[in-house]
């Protein structure tokens, strides 16, 4: 028998979970809502962890997210088990909480860890939470050379942030240029120029082989697949994220081909009355790891919980990435399935441009740097095509 009962349980107090709780209250839902998060911190703006918070220009208070006062927020509260038949969750404290209206799985993602020789050495960091950013800041205080592994957003953002703090940064990536996987060769070449111009060294088309340590068991160098040895006082890994499906899998929820929780177009999982939102949520064969999409999905689930109806989630994905305070790239749509044409407008040299990505003659995504009107036009086009 449960220790107590609430109307809605939300597991995970990140972007999706907080947006869901907030939207429930905005819609006038007066029932009890439990928002349980595993982290020690109150909910916060995660993207700041590689940007202003890491740079030290934003404080913890600056990045805190507001949670409605009448939502029961538990921090350091892991949900250990969900029984979707009995409609109960078990918290790490041992408390058994029943839900009557719905359960929302908003457990996000965890960093992808690489198991190479030397991976256990001190000074090798991953970045997902504010505490990781604190550790990186403290650790690089004395460092001269920092090596970033990966050519995607996190590694590039951290390289830009730490360069602005006066660190000598080297990026090691498999890609031919940074951000090419997401944005294509033209933008990749542009990002490479931006980073190089600020002193970031780029090692492209080369992978991480292993780390070498000092006598004090601290990282001293990165060795690449091609045999290059790069001295490193600290390392930050930007090697991707994997959806956190521990709870969902143990609860017997169906998982999808991307490894996320498989959801209907309305974001309902394989168990009726159990929903998913955010990085963990897979629907239509894809999973999107963007801040604003996680929030939009959280709000969507809230609407379904309140209305009792299951409208499909339709929203043009949007995200942004910052290279220090030099440039912000914004992106709408999704070219994850590939594209066969990219058309640039404006001027890459002047840092004011947009790119339209299309497949089979149809627009699938667009990127803009200092061209907000182009971005909005593409967003409208994508929205009307989606019906
Ligand atoms: C450093 C960094 C920078 C980023 N920058 C950008 C950016 O510029 N633009 C952008 O669009 N996106 C960015 N992202 C991605 C964005 O932050 C994510 O897409 C977003 O946070 C996903 O929200 P979420 O609520 O699904 O998951 P999360 O924010 O990961 O939150 C999930 C929460 O659930 C908790 N949890 C998991 N399991 C349990 C459990 N069993 N019990 C209790 N709690 C649990 C986790 O501890 C976590 O706190 C960035 C991500 C990182 C890490």
């Amino acid at each position: 028998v449960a220790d107590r009962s609430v109307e809605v349980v939300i597991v995970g107090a990140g972007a999706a979970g907080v947006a869901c709780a907030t939207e429930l209250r905005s819609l006038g839902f007066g029932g009890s809502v439990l928002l349980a998060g595993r982290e020690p911190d109150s909910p916060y703006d995660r993207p700041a962890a590689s940007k202003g918070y890491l740079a030290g220009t934003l404080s913890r208070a600056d990045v805190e997210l507001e949670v409605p006062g009448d939502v029961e927020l538990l921090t350091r509260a892991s949900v250990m088990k969900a029984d979707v038949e009995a409609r109960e969750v078990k918290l790490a404290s041992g408390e058994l909480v029943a839900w009557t209206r719905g359960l929302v799985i908003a457990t996000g993602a965890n960093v992808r860890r690489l198991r190479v020789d030397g991976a256990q050495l001190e000074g090798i960091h991953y970045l997902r939470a504010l505490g990781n950013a604190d550790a990186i800041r403290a650790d690089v205080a004395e460092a001269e050379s920092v090596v970033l592994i990966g050519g995607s957003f996190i590694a590039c953002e951290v390289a830009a942030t730490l360069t602005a703090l006066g660190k000598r940064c080297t990026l090691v990536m498999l890609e031919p240029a940074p951000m090419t996987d997401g944005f294509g060769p033209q933008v990749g070449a542009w990002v490479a120029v931006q980073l190089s111009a600020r002193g970031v060294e780029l090692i492209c088309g080369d992978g991480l082989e292993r780390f070498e340590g000092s006598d004090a068991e601290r990282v001293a160098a990165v060795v690449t697949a091609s045999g290059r040895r790069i001295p490193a006082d600290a390392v930050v890994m930007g090697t991707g994220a994997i959806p956190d499906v521990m709870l969902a899998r143990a609860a017997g929820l169906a998982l999808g081909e991307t490894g996320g929780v498989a959801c209907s177009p309305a974001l309902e999982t394989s168990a009726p009355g159990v929903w998913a939102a955010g990085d963990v949520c897979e629907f239509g064969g894809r999973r999107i790891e963007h801040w604003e999409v996680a929030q939009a999905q959280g709000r969507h689930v809230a609407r379904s919980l309140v209305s009792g109806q299951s409208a499909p989630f339709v929203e043009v994905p949007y995200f942004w990435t910052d290279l220090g305070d030099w440039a912000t790239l914004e992106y709408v749509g999704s070219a994850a399935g590939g594209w066969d044409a990219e058309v640039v407008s404006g001027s890459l040299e002047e840092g004011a441009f947009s790119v339209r990505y299309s497949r089979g003659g149809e627009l699938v995504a667009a990127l803009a740097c200092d061209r907000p009107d182009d971005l909005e036009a593409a967003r409208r086009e994508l929205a009307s095509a989606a019906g």
Side-chain angles (χ1 to χ4, degrees):
V1 182
D3 297 303
R4 63 186 174 115
S5 165
V6 297
E7 285 207 43
V8 177
V9 171
I10 304 171
V11 186
V18 170
C20 182
T22 306
E23 184 73 359
L24 284 170
R25 292 301 183 231
S26 307
L27 294 169
F29 178 73
S32 45
V33 178
L34 172 63
L35 176 60
R38 184 162 61 193
E39 295 191 49
D41 293 294
S42 293
Y44 58 88
D45 179 7
R46 192 174 304 284
S50 53
K51 308 179 183 69
Y53 185 78
L54 181 63
T57 52
L58 295 176
S59 68
R60 261 183 143 73
D62 293 332
V63 301
E64 204 167 293
L65 298 181
E66 208 176 311
V67 176
D70 53 359
V71 165
E72 182 187 355
L73 169 68
L74 297 179
T75 53
R76 294 182 197 273
S78 265
V79 173
M80 309 302 287
K81 204 172 157 227
D83 183 335
V84 299
E85 300 289 323
R87 298 182 140 226
E88 284 169 0
V89 291
K90 186 170 191 187
L91 304 179
S93 62
E95 193 181 23
L96 207 54
V97 183
W99 76 83
T100 54
R101 189 180 285 244
L103 171 68
V104 184
I105 307 284
T107 49
N110 292 316
V111 293
R112 184 190 303 279
R113 289 181 182 273
L114 297 191
R115 314 234 171 268
V116 296
D117 281 356
Q120 78 295 344
L121 291 164
E122 288 288 316
I124 299 171
H125 298 270
Y126 287 84
L127 177 55
R128 182 79 198 172
L130 285 189
N132 304 133
D134 292 337
I136 293 170
R137 281 267 296 177
D139 205 38
V140 303
E142 303 291 311
E144 250 178 58
S145 309
V146 184
V147 176
L148 297 303
I149 308 292
S152 196
F153 312 111
I154 302 284
C156 292
E157 290 193 351
V158 172
T161 301
L162 296 184
T163 298
L165 290 177
K167 306 297 158 191
R168 201 170 67 229
C169 293
T170 305
L171 269 170
V172 176
M173 72 196 77
L174 291 169
E175 298 91 323
M179 300 195 192
T180 35
D181 282 0
F183 296 159
Q186 300 185 82
V187 176
W190 181 83
V191 173
V193 168
Q194 301 311 305
L195 290 168
S196 306
R198 271 98 182 170
V200 178
E201 193 185 340
L202 302 177
I203 296 178
C204 303
D206 204 354
L208 167 68
E209 179 71 23
R210 63 190 154 88
F211 299 107
E212 286 180 2
S214 66
D215 293 343
E217 288 296 302
R218 200 186 151 81
V219 69
V222 169
V223 179
T224 70
S226 74
R228 279 183 82 138
R229 186 181 180 280
I230 310 150
D233 300 318
V235 171
V236 182
M237 307 290 287
T239 45
I242 40 180
D244 188 337
V245 293
M246 277 251 290
L247 182 72
R249 179 188 282 130
L253 300 180
L255 302 183
E257 58 203 63
T258 70
V261 176
C263 289
S264 70
L267 311 184
E268 197 166 17
T269 70
S270 56
V274 180
W275 309 78
D279 284 5
V280 76
C281 170
E282 175 179 326
F283 70 106
R286 63 186 181 145
R287 212 168 50 73
I288 303 170
E289 292 179 359
H290 302 339
W291 181 257
E292 293 206 2
V293 173
Q295 290 182 318
Q297 292 183 345
R299 289 193 297 267
H300 186 82
V301 168
R303 287 192 287 274
S304 304
L305 283 167
V306 170
S307 68
Q309 285 164 6
S310 318
F313 173 75
V314 190
E315 171 121 351
V316 176
Y318 163 86
F319 85 100
W320 80 100
T321 180
D322 291 340
L323 291 172
D325 55 8
W326 327 322
T328 295
L329 299 175
E330 294 181 282
Y331 186 94
V332 288
S334 168
W339 66 93
D340 52 33
E342 50 181 75
V343 178
V344 178
S345 302
S347 161
L348 287 154
E349 291 71 33
E350 286 165 24
F353 59 90
S354 62
V355 187
R356 289 167 59 89
Y357 303 90
S358 48
R359 184 167 57 233
E362 220 172 273
L363 184 72
V364 290
L367 171 147
C369 180
D370 205 16
R371 298 262 289 196
D373 294 349
D374 292 3
L375 195 79
E376 281 322 305
R379 193 201 300 261
R380 280 196 300 273
E381 209 174 313
L382 290 164
S384 72

